[in-house]
Amino acid sequence: MRIAFRADASIQIGTGHVMRCLTLAEALRSQGHECTFICRDHPGNLGALIAERGFQLSLLSQADLAEWSIESESDTALAHADWLGVPWQQDAEQTLEALNGPIIDWLVVDHYALDARWERRVSKRVGEVMVIDDIADRPHECKLLLDQNLGREAQDYDGLLPEACIRLVGPRYALLRPEFAELRERSLERRRTPELKRILITLGGVDQDNVTGQVLDVLSKSQLSPETELDVVMGASAPALDEVRQQAQVLPFRVSVSVGVTDMAERMCLADFCIGATGSTTWERCCLGVPTMTMVLAENQKHAAEAIARHGAAVVIQNQSDLEAALQKLLTNEQFAENLSAMSNAGASLVDGLGCLRVINHLKTEQ
């Protein structure tokens, strides 16, 4: 099959949409399928990473902002319309130009600023359309829809999809790289006797508000042992990267700050506890049973966070202002070790790491 992906990353959007598409693309390529990417040249885009991973990339040009402000008036119904950077009609035409060539069997669309209007216009040059969504707030014209979030129900998309659209809903379909399934048994085994020696801190590829710095500040005031290791992971486009590096040098712990890592599964496996964002990495942590305090850093993360909290798979912080009190309370809890074990078991029961294979089987079946 030939598959094209339309997804964006930026300082505003973050990196999660492109990263999960890359995960699916790499799984497809491992089975002999050909994948290409179409992304816009936003500040903070991941074009270099996509090319580094060996995928063909069409990078759409940035828009004239004055033209955008006039032509976007009809798009106000979409809550994230400004994430696109151009009118949807212009994006559709540019995407069609990028698709000019041999027929694409599947177009995978992962973008909150695109809906059924765009999908109908672009579908004339592709075999089928698959949509990856999280928020169920707009209609789609597609053959397959994937929403990998806990707490989402298939009926949440009633009235938003064609009747024949197949809905792949829930973390059973979470798009994880194969190393997470490979490390799952090892990671779960080492959590049978929980301890707190190594903390992984990963708050998204951008972390525009520098929540990482806030977390480090709170930990510096805690009673953690000086022997505690802090493994801080950030994206290369994170605005506060240099500030965090300087902060790490004066902390009373063993701290490393890493950028653009390719061994996240190994880092999660080694972590006794994680402080992370409620994004796609949530399902990676669940697969490996990593006990987590998860931060809600965007409105579209609230629904999944509430479901994760109900399931007991993580401690959820809805507001950044609550971070210090919640983290101090958690770390000083006499039952902290038991809490780690309970969170690990609850998370591991949700995700087995085989979601990519399930999604690919549907792509092949429904072609």
Side-chain angles (χ1 to χ4, degrees):
M1 295 187 297
R2 299 183 74 246
I3 302 98
F5 291 83
R6 176 68 188 94
D8 284 338
S10 73
I11 298 297
Q12 180 185 26
I13 297 170
T15 61
H17 299 271
V18 168
M19 292 305 295
R20 63 187 176 189
C21 285
L22 271 172
T23 295
L24 180 56
E26 289 178 329
L28 283 160
R29 183 171 60 184
S30 72
Q31 295 190 17
H33 305 293
E34 180 182 344
C35 298
T36 62
F37 279 77
I38 302 169
C39 306
R40 190 160 298 281
D41 190 14
H42 293 304
N45 73 78
L46 294 181
L49 177 63
I50 293 169
E52 181 184 309
R53 297 281 180 91
F55 294 103
Q56 180 182 335
L57 169 68
S58 295
L59 201 58
L60 308 181
S61 62
Q62 296 188 55
D64 182 303
L65 295 181
E67 180 183 8
W68 163 238
S69 63
I70 294 172
E71 295 191 13
S72 66
E73 291 180 0
S74 63
D75 297 316
T76 54
L78 291 187
H80 297 85
D82 62 324
W83 283 19
L84 197 57
V86 299
W88 68 265
Q89 299 94 330
Q90 181 179 338
D91 191 277
E93 293 307 313
Q94 290 178 319
T95 299
L96 285 169
E97 290 176 12
L99 291 170
N100 191 25
I103 191 69
I104 293 292
D105 297 298
W106 282 96
L107 174 63
V108 179
V109 186
D110 190 344
H111 209 303
Y112 294 163
L114 300 176
D115 65 359
R117 298 168 299 173
W118 185 97
E119 292 148 9
R120 277 193 292 269
R121 185 168 297 192
V122 175
S123 64
K124 60 188 178 184
R125 194 154 301 166
V126 301
E128 302 290 355
V129 175
M130 170 182 166
V131 169
I132 302 177
D133 194 20
D134 305 288
I135 50 181
D137 71 338
R138 63 205 186 282
H140 293 291
E141 189 72 31
C142 57
K143 184 70 171 290
L144 278 177
L145 179 128
L146 166 64
D147 187 326
Q148 62 185 16
N149 289 301
L150 183 66
R152 181 66 67 201
E153 302 291 342
Q155 56 264 34
D156 293 341
Y157 286 93
D158 286 353
L160 299 177
L161 302 172
E163 187 174 338
C165 178
I166 296 170
R167 310 177 195 191
L168 309 180
V169 177
R172 169 179 169 80
Y173 298 100
L175 300 175
L176 305 188
R177 297 187 301 279
E179 57 262 34
F180 287 94
E182 292 165 5
L183 286 173
R184 177 176 164 85
E185 184 175 348
R186 172 184 154 199
S187 182
L188 296 180
E189 176 64 29
R190 65 177 298 274
R191 300 182 195 290
R192 294 188 177 184
T193 53
E195 53 186 355
L196 186 61
K197 293 184 178 180
R198 184 181 177 95
I199 300 175
L200 174 64
I201 301 169
T202 171
L203 289 150
V206 175
D207 189 13
Q208 192 167 7
D209 297 327
N210 191 20
V211 181
T212 301
Q214 297 177 43
V215 168
L216 293 179
D217 183 58
V218 173
L219 291 176
S220 71
K221 304 171 186 176
S222 72
Q223 300 301 311
L224 285 174
S225 165
E227 297 301 311
T228 304
E229 295 181 51
L230 303 185
D231 182 12
V232 181
V233 176
M234 302 185 73
S237 59
L241 177 57
D242 290 339
E243 182 180 339
V244 169
R245 282 173 167 159
Q246 294 174 12
Q247 185 179 5
Q249 293 177 2
V250 298
L251 289 173
F253 310 110
R254 299 165 60 187
V255 187
S256 64
V257 179
S258 303
V259 177
V261 304
T262 59
D263 60 346
M264 184 60 86
E266 180 71 19
R267 290 170 185 267
M268 288 185 178
C269 182
L270 295 174
D272 302 309
F273 183 60
C274 178
I275 301 171
T278 312
S280 298
T281 54
T282 296
W283 315 120
E284 298 172 353
R285 297 189 297 261
C286 284
C287 179
L288 298 181
V290 186
T292 300
M293 172 174 278
T294 185
M295 303 279 298
V296 176
L297 302 179
E299 184 69 27
N300 58 57
Q301 296 176 352
K302 287 186 175 180
H303 184 83
E306 291 168 356
I308 293 165
R310 287 196 300 271
H311 196 83
V315 174
V316 175
I317 306 300
Q318 293 279 4
N319 300 300
Q320 294 179 32
S321 59
D322 298 331
L323 171 63
E324 181 168 3
L327 188 52
Q328 293 286 17
K329 180 180 179 180
L330 186 68
L331 294 176
T332 57
N333 190 330
E334 293 181 357
Q335 295 181 311
F336 187 50
E338 295 177 18
N339 292 342
L340 291 178
S341 181
M343 279 191 281
S344 177
N345 293 334
S349 71
L350 295 173
V351 183
D352 61 8
L354 302 179
C356 261
L357 297 180
R358 295 186 180 101
V359 172
I360 290 172
N361 284 340
H362 279 282
L363 288 171
K364 292 191 293 188
T365 302
E366 302 301 328
Q367 184 185 355

